[in-house]
Amino acid sequence: ECDENRPSRGSQILTRTIPAFANMTQPPRRVAFLDLARIQMPVGALTSILHRITGVLLALVIPLVALLLARSLQGPESYADVTRLFGHPVVKAVAILWIWALAHHLLAGLRHMLMDVDVGSLLKPARRSAWTVNIAGVVIALFTAGALW
């Protein structure tokens, strides 16, 4: 027989094993307003989030890059059109952003793979490698900017 007013055996066991939760009459307090601008994330978390963002950016830009490549290979006139397009400052800025995303994603991916096999997974080396990835991505983007301008 099952008495609906009586707690089940599972909840009795839970109540006995975790007594702190037995007398809760109110749910735990939750953050009402989360100000993301005030949160200071560790550099490793920032690198990881940027790795995901750059992955999405790269996936979204692949069709455009393939289109430009195909267009440039159609002949000398088409190649000249694509070359002229890259003379525009906005296109140059987008290209630099794309190169940064590619560099960051590649370097952060290598970092994640190395950490998966316990290379650099302790706190200090992990922080150092995260800073290295972030700085190297920007340096590569700056070299690209120097080459394009």
Side-chain angles (χ1 to χ4, degrees):
E1 287 176 43
C2 179
D3 184 5
E4 292 181 356
N5 295 325
R6 191 177 64 151
S8 68
R9 177 136 175 84
S11 65
Q12 289 174 348
I13 293 170
L14 179 65
T15 304
R16 283 191 214 131
T17 57
I18 308 175
F21 292 104
N23 297 325
M24 289 183 64
T25 57
Q26 295 179 352
R29 291 174 43 127
R30 294 197 171 104
V31 177
F33 175 71
L34 185 61
D35 188 0
L36 294 176
R38 289 187 179 182
I39 295 176
Q40 284 190 319
M41 288 187 285
V43 67
L46 180 65
T47 304
S48 182
I49 290 169
L50 285 174
H51 181 249
R52 292 173 186 215
I53 292 170
T54 56
V56 171
L57 284 174
L58 291 171
L60 292 175
V61 173
I62 285 174
L64 177 63
V65 171
L67 179 74
L68 288 173
L69 177 62
R71 176 93 173 119
S72 70
L73 295 174
Q74 287 176 350
E77 303 86 24
S78 299
Y79 180 79
D81 290 343
V82 173
T83 304
R84 250 189 320 278
L85 181 67
F86 274 92
H88 196 278
V90 173
V91 176
K92 285 182 182 182
V94 170
I96 292 166
L97 178 66
W98 187 77
I99 293 294
W100 167 80
L102 183 63
H104 186 278
H105 194 75
L106 174 71
L107 295 171
L110 290 172
R111 175 181 179 266
H112 284 297
M113 288 192 316
L114 287 172
M115 290 178 77
D116 284 344
V117 293
D118 275 342
V119 174
S121 58
L122 297 176
L123 186 59
K124 280 191 177 188
R127 282 185 182 156
R128 194 171 333 132
S129 67
W131 277 110
T132 302
V133 164
N134 293 338
I135 292 169
V138 170
V139 167
I140 291 169
L142 290 175
F143 278 133
T144 303
L148 286 178
W149 260 291

